[in-house]
Amino acid sequence: MTRDDPYRRARHLAELGRHADAEAELRAALAAEPGDADLLTLLGYVLRRHHDYEAALEACDAAIAADARLADAHAERAESLMALIRDADAIAAAGEAARLAPYEPAGHLVLARALASAGRHDEARTAARHGLSLAPQSVDALLTVAGVERGAGRRKEAEQAARQALAIDPASPYGRWLMAMLDAERLHVGRSMRALHDVARDDPARPDVISMTWPVRSLLSALRRWLAAAVLLVAAAAPAATWWRPAAGASRVLAALFAAVVAGFGLRVLLPAGRLPWRCLRLVPRRLRRATLGGTATVAVMVALLTAYAMTGLWWLPILALAAVPALVALGAAERAGARPEGRR
């Protein structure tokens, strides 16, 4: 479909990352043609990239009201719904896009992302592979496959698809971001942070500061999974040491061992990362920043209490550490809620 000049100009501005200028161009065009579904869909895209998800959804709803058979409008609506964490609605919208344009890859790819966002990984992989079959050399299709495979825990397949995409478009920000995050999951800390820094340098208008805090946040996530159990074990053994002498030495050794493991793992992750995660932490949303710093402080206090117990044998010290577990869990929930990624698309 051939578009007039305002649409082409707005799309070009959006591709350059000049979202405010693109929005102004679109709103001027829509003043003359308020029911143009293509202009409204593009406005939804621009607003979403500007993180105004509610307004983006309204634009997509208006586009669908103007032309309910426009597959692109349903697909863009699904993207906004995913950003708003309305996964069931996003799946329905993406499914409609795929139904309206079954031989176009875009609907199947957004459906794959919506299914993956909802944790329906097998269905997401099927949809992504189908989209790729319709456009085998599409960078977007390859990167969707890579993202879905990564979400399903299939890192080898994710890396293979991401590398194929980067062979076609070596400058792809999302492809480079995906490779950096795959390196992060393998604890290739330095390489991951360098790649994320390079992506941010090449796209200074949209730095992914949340991703660059992954060393701190991943460390906390790993510790939450087992530190509570470790503290519970020591806290259970410590009172027993007051009436059963053999338990005293064992519980103190356990406390020292757990504290040493936390310290060693922390150094393993944080030293290669350098100062960059901490600098980026100042730039993330306040809720995420407070939860991450609170979790870091809570872990530090728990480790200090375990270390003090290992040195002194005072049985109530691990009990205090155990009392901090609910705070650690609550801060983890707050951190996850504040860090839901919009993605690099």
Side-chain angles (χ1 to χ4, degrees):
M1 179 178 181
T2 302
R3 292 298 313 176
D4 56 11
D5 287 344
Y7 182 93
R8 288 202 303 269
R9 285 198 300 268
R11 189 168 188 86
H12 180 65
L13 289 167
E15 289 169 353
L16 292 174
R18 295 170 57 184
H19 299 127
D21 293 335
E23 181 183 351
E25 185 77 34
L26 287 165
R27 291 198 183 279
L30 283 166
E33 298 182 80
D36 189 305
D38 290 319
L39 289 172
L40 287 164
T41 300
L42 184 55
L43 178 61
Y45 167 79
V46 168
L47 290 169
R48 176 172 62 86
R49 294 303 296 264
H50 204 57
H51 310 296
D52 192 350
Y53 304 125
E54 293 285 359
L57 184 58
E58 289 179 8
C60 293
D61 286 341
I64 292 168
D67 183 359
R69 296 195 58 78
L70 183 60
D72 286 348
H74 291 278
E76 184 55 46
R77 183 172 186 268
E79 297 280 14
S80 293
L81 288 165
M82 275 188 279
L84 291 168
I85 322 180
R86 292 171 55 183
D87 292 331
D89 292 335
I91 291 169
E96 183 67 7
R99 185 189 71 80
L100 289 169
Y103 301 111
E104 293 293 328
H108 300 284
L109 298 178
V110 72
L111 177 58
R113 294 193 288 271
L115 289 165
S117 182
R120 294 163 59 176
H121 298 298
D122 290 341
E123 296 170 83
R125 293 178 62 238
T126 299
R129 292 289 176 182
H130 182 62
L132 179 61
S133 72
L134 296 172
Q137 294 302 307
S138 165
V139 172
D140 184 38
L142 285 164
L143 291 177
T144 297
V145 169
V148 167
E149 295 286 15
R150 174 179 171 246
R154 297 164 59 93
R155 293 173 185 159
K156 181 179 178 181
E157 291 81 358
E159 182 175 350
Q160 181 180 17
R163 289 193 183 281
Q164 288 176 353
L166 288 170
I168 299 169
D169 181 10
S172 167
Y174 182 55
R176 293 157 63 201
W177 178 86
L178 265 178
M179 289 300 299
M181 298 315 295
L182 288 166
D183 279 338
E185 290 166 7
R186 296 186 177 100
L187 286 185
H188 297 159
V189 182
R191 186 164 67 191
S192 173
M193 294 305 296
R194 285 192 296 273
L196 290 172
H197 180 270
D198 289 344
V199 171
R201 180 196 60 202
D202 294 344
D203 188 10
R206 193 172 175 239
D208 190 351
V209 291
I210 291 180
S211 290
M212 286 189 282
T213 64
W214 78 258
V216 181
R217 294 174 42 243
S218 293
L219 177 62
L220 289 176
S221 178
L223 292 177
R224 279 193 297 269
R225 284 196 288 267
W226 67 267
L227 184 56
V231 169
L232 177 61
L233 181 60
V234 175
T242 61
W243 54 269
W244 189 42
R245 286 290 181 184
S251 62
R252 292 172 69 176
V253 168
L254 279 177
L257 177 62
F258 292 143
V261 168
V262 172
F265 187 48
L267 292 173
R268 164 70 178 83
V269 173
L270 296 179
L271 280 182
R275 293 182 298 171
L276 185 58
W278 302 103
R279 290 162 56 193
C280 291
L281 198 58
R282 298 198 297 265
L283 305 175
V284 302
R286 181 182 300 179
R287 182 181 183 185
L288 174 59
R289 180 172 65 253
R290 288 180 173 177
T292 303
L293 292 175
T296 302
T298 302
V299 168
V301 169
M302 293 169 72
V303 171
L305 289 169
L306 289 178
T307 303
Y309 171 68
M311 296 174 63
T312 66
L314 296 174
W315 66 270
W316 48 268
L317 290 170
I319 303 299
L320 288 179
L322 184 62
V325 168
L328 186 64
V329 173
L331 289 165
E335 183 261 325
R336 288 190 296 273
R340 179 169 173 113
E342 180 219 353
R344 296 286 307 177
R345 307 205 70 80

